[in-house]
Amino acid sequence: MRCNLTAFLLVTCLAFAGQVQARYYDDVISSGYISIGLYRNFPPYSFEQNGQAVGVDAEIGKRIAKAMDLEFRPHWITPDENLEDDLRNNVWKGHYLDKDDSQPLAMKKLADVMMRVPYDREFAFRQESTGEMVNEHVVMFGPYQRESWRIAFDSRKIEEVSTVAVFQYHPIGVEIDSLPAFYMVSAFGGRMRDNAHHFTNVDEAFRHMQKGKVDAVMGMRAEIDWQLFQAKDPSFHIGENGFPMMGKQKWDLGMAIKSTYRQLGYAVEEVVDRMIRTGEMEKIYQQYGLTYELPGLYQDVK
């Protein structure tokens, strides 16, 4: 997912043979359950704890199911090479390696609704060189959160982070192959390159900050908030800086369904819209110690 998010951000900055048949609204209702696509091992958004799906996206999925009087079933997604692959494998076609012959073709492993999909018009309507729509089989809808980048730092090592220029002199941890990683090695003529330390994920980078091996960590705001919430260390603060020359610094996240499932999408969108307007959505984020920011669609009407 992290690499796929980077690919999406870089893009925005700079034949059905063997197809799996999806479930329509009536099929979902009559089955008694709804399958919610969640990225595997991706805290604080979606992960397993004591055998149960938890995280903000899992909580949203559970509330969608409850509002529709359905059983919540997580559909765990292992990210492929890019977001288009994830949408194809989990929303409208199915993975070519899914050879589970115990189920008919129409019941192969697909999510009814996929969470944490960029809600971005340019991405949604992007075209191939032939003029064909890249994501023509998918509808991206229901923005429920605005995400951004954030830095956490050790105040025992750095007095404040009002500008990223401070990392010319202090080591900072970033996730490998992420946009922060590209940014830290290339911005300001590469003057921060030597102080950019690359880790498998934000969690590993944060653990190295706790050990004093780096002085700061950069990642998605929710991931940084989650680490600070768990650490509860008064020495770790949030930077108040911006990211000049970075390009896309905020983006909205929503959901995706197969393009023929619009009735199901309308029903799900109604639930999520109500959660946002009543403040229930913000409470879910607060439960995990996260900052909640309204997506642009809701900010525009305020």
Side-chain angles (χ1 to χ4, degrees):
M1 169 57 178
R2 295 160 175 82
C3 293
N4 296 348
L5 171 63
T6 296
F8 156 69
L9 292 171
L10 290 174
V11 165
T12 55
C13 291
L14 312 168
F16 285 74
Q19 177 182 330
V20 179
Q21 297 303 309
R23 304 200 313 155
Y24 291 92
Y25 175 81
D26 290 344
D27 297 327
V28 172
I29 297 301
S30 63
S31 74
Y33 74 91
I34 185 168
S35 173
I36 304 292
L38 306 170
Y39 277 101
R40 187 183 299 278
N41 193 28
F42 194 27
Y45 310 109
S46 48
F47 57 107
E48 287 188 280
Q49 196 171 72
N50 299 321
Q52 300 296 315
V54 294
V56 293
D57 289 346
E59 297 298 334
I60 296 168
K62 291 173 185 177
R63 283 160 174 78
I64 291 171
K66 183 178 180 180
M68 298 176 67
D69 197 25
L70 297 170
E71 175 193 347
F72 163 77
R73 291 189 185 179
H75 169 94
W76 292 109
I77 298 170
T78 298
D80 209 312
E81 292 185 4
N82 55 53
L83 183 56
E84 288 86 354
D85 288 343
D86 293 347
L87 291 167
R88 181 195 64 231
N89 295 341
N90 297 280
V91 175
W92 66 270
K93 187 174 184 181
H95 200 287
Y96 69 94
L97 291 178
D98 183 4
K99 302 181 184 297
D100 184 0
D101 294 328
S102 66
Q103 298 188 66
L105 185 63
M107 295 299 290
K108 291 288 187 175
K109 298 174 183 176
L110 286 176
D112 297 316
V113 180
M114 177 173 164
M115 305 297 294
R116 199 144 295 272
V117 176
Y119 183 77
D120 181 270
R121 182 176 178 82
E122 182 179 344
F123 177 76
F125 292 98
R126 190 156 58 89
Q127 297 181 338
E128 301 275 15
S129 58
T130 59
E132 294 184 11
M133 298 279 292
V134 175
N135 297 302
E136 66 173 319
H137 306 304
V138 174
V139 173
M140 301 171 200
F141 71 105
Y144 59 89
Q145 177 213 346
R146 174 160 286 187
E147 186 60 278
S148 60
W149 302 110
R150 174 164 279 180
I151 286 176
F153 67 96
D154 188 338
S155 62
R156 294 167 296 190
K157 304 287 188 67
I158 308 174
E159 184 175 344
E160 65 176 1
V161 177
S162 57
T163 170
V164 291
V166 70
F167 298 111
Q168 295 177 85
Y169 316 105
H170 291 273
I172 182 170
V174 291
E175 182 177 353
I176 191 169
D177 290 333
S178 67
L179 198 58
F182 294 131
Y183 179 71
M184 284 295 170
V185 301
S186 60
F188 301 107
R191 291 198 293 269
M192 300 180 290
R193 180 183 295 112
D194 293 341
N195 279 320
H197 295 247
H198 301 260
F199 299 97
T200 304
N201 50 45
V202 170
D203 179 67
E204 183 184 12
F206 199 90
R207 282 189 275 112
H208 276 73
M209 183 169 71
Q210 290 176 306
K211 295 175 183 177
K213 296 183 178 181
V214 295
D215 297 346
V217 175
M218 181 179 175
M220 285 186 285
R221 178 176 58 196
E223 290 186 292
I224 295 296
D225 285 350
W226 171 242
Q227 294 295 334
L228 292 171
F229 180 66
Q230 292 185 104
K232 293 180 172 58
D233 188 329
S235 299
F236 297 150
H237 294 179
I238 294 172
E240 300 299 329
N241 57 292
F243 303 98
M245 300 178 290
M246 191 174 188
K248 199 173 189 74
Q249 299 188 34
K250 293 195 174 199
W251 61 98
D252 290 342
L253 291 159
M255 301 167 284
I257 56 170
K258 189 179 176 182
S259 58
T260 51
Y261 289 4
R262 293 180 187 273
Q263 186 179 4
L264 175 61
Y266 296 148
V268 170
E269 189 170 38
E270 182 179 350
V271 176
V272 171
D273 177 76
R274 183 167 60 250
M275 290 173 63
I276 293 172
R277 295 183 187 279
T278 61
E280 185 178 2
M281 185 70 72
E282 184 173 10
K283 289 179 181 177
I284 292 175
Y285 280 77
Q286 291 174 344
Q287 175 185 336
Y288 287 87
L290 312 181
T291 303
Y292 179 69
E293 184 176 354
L294 286 168
L297 179 66
Y298 293 86
Q299 293 185 16
D300 293 343
V301 299
K302 288 191 110 182

